[in-house]
Amino acid sequence: MIEDMLRTPSAVRDAERYTAHNYHPLPVVISSAEGAWLTDVDGRRYLDCLAGYSALNFGHRHPALIRAAHEQLDRLTLTSRAFIHDQFADFCRELAALCGKDLVLPMNTGAEAVETGIKVARKWGYQVKKVAAGQANIVVADGNFHGRTTTIVSFSTDADARADFGPYTPGFTVVPYGDLAALEAAIDENTVAVLLEPIQGEQGVVLPPEGYLPGVRRACTDRNVLFIADEIQSGLGRTGRTFACDHEGVVPDMYLLGKALGGGIVPVSAVAADADVLGVLRPGQHGSTFGGNPLACAVGTEVVRLLATGEFQRRSAELGERLRAGLEGLLGGGLVAVRVRGLWAGVDIDPALMTGRQACERLMDRGVLVKDTHGSTIRLAPPLVITDDEIDHAVAQLAAVLAG
Ligand SMILES: *Cc1c(COP(=O)(O)O)cnc(C)c1O
């Protein structure tokens, strides 16, 4: 095709011209998608190996999710929480059951679920643990990613995410990720919660040492501290289990969920916990106009039903082993490290070869879309509907890029 006939260049220019530059997207303009495949405005096809940072675990436009959304669009879309609607109870009951918890509090974005978790933990601390007024602290990990609100960036250790957004919200103690002794030492009588990602996705799919999460669980139980697991990216089938915590048999006091919970259709997030924790909230103390709306609940219920079959978790575990084998085969051939759990991989490219960004651009030219994170690391998180052959294809394209 002749270059001036392509629609992509002008579409990229317009997107840059009329928006704040708070992202640095790859220069590709998508117009439709199905399953694991994307099509751009010029008709080129790409294998999606990012899946909306795990918001698209079930692929693009999964038929069951699209059907649920269409049916709900034709009946009722919004009531606000001032009234109860007929999709609400099913969603909350089925999600609570999936989590093994008594209660659910639905919100919209992941950051709102994190904010909700922080507020609930503080209130629990004052009302149940009897922490002195205004003294509650929460222990968090170095290298964390929990979202973009002013309170959440207050305890980020990423300079880009945090610098120049102060004054910062106090009440957080940062410890090195994976260091149990440091975490135990940071807990004091005013600690109400430990907030962690069971696997640090944005940091490059960083797995904590084996035994760390059970150790955190034990420390929290012993010291009367809530363990809050941010499973917004790691949860809902991504790692081959329903939750990343499941791999070590750990049950946190609070799950923070988002991303895939909305089926790639609407933003849906939630906090799940038992009644002795979430029960501390009374009317007027927390809320959201769109949280738990009928469309969100209809889609979210269908997401929970897809997960309740276990099929996606199984696919993720099995295909993840294929992905692992493929990527480990590239160690020494351009990759210096590979970390895999289920269909979730962080690979570190030899920085002498190219940056992560360059690798992503070259993969794009070969019809595979992924995104770099932190310098020379790229993260692969394909939709869980991807096939064996498509995984092999993605690995082959990465091999070709690394071979230059
Ligand atoms: C994406 C993410 C968030 C924030 O979710 P948003 O929907 O972008 O607000 C929080 N925690 C983790 C672990 C995430 O990956």
Side-chain angles (χ1 to χ4, degrees), residues 28 30 65 80 87 139 148 208 224 278 283-284 303 311 316 369 377 400:
V28 58
I30 305 301
L65 299 173
S80 87
Q87 300 298 306
V139 177
R148 301 294 196 175
N224 195 24
L278 264 183
V303 164
E311 177 200 334
S316 178
L369 292 185
T377 298

Side-chain angles (χ1 to χ4, degrees), residues 109-112 114 145-148 197 202 230 232-233 259:
T109 65
E112 288 174 307
V114 175
F145 181 84
H146 297 288
R148 301 294 196 175
E197 299 154 86
E202 294 302 310
D230 181 345
I232 290 167
Q233 194 167 157
K259 294 205 164 99

